[in-house]
């Protein structure tokens, strides 16, 4: 869990109007905040380790 201000980094992303609409509808239907949804999606990403040959 985050415990220091330095552990947080602010990001800015560009989304299409359709992507924004989809995200907003999802948040509205689930009662969740946009930041929480995006954080959960990022945390669920698999970590890919590529081995050098």
């Amino acid at each position: 869990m985050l415990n220091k201000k330095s552990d947080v980094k602010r990001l800015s992303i560009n989304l299409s109007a359709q992507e924004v609409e989809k995200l907003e509808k999802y948040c509205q239907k689930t009662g969740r905040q946009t930041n929480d949804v995006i954080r959960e999606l990022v945390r669920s990403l698999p970590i890919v380790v590529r081995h050098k040959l």
Side-chain angles (χ1 to χ4, degrees):
M1 193 98 268
L2 302 175
N3 56 13
K4 291 185 199 173
K5 194 171 187 175
S6 62
D7 289 341
V8 177
K9 182 171 183 170
R10 181 174 293 268
L11 299 176
S12 175
I13 62 170
N14 297 317
L15 299 174
S16 69
Q18 293 160 326
E19 292 166 334
V20 171
E21 183 179 354
K22 187 172 188 176
L23 180 58
E24 287 174 344
K25 283 183 180 180
Y26 180 85
C27 292
Q28 204 170 38
K29 287 187 178 203
T30 61
R32 298 176 64 204
Q33 292 187 0
T34 305
N35 286 340
D36 294 335
V37 171
I38 293 171
R39 275 191 208 101
E40 182 179 317
L41 290 169
V42 169
R43 289 175 184 149
S44 72
L45 293 173
I47 296 175
V48 178
V49 177
R50 295 191 177 146
H51 298 283
K52 290 184 178 182
L53 294 176

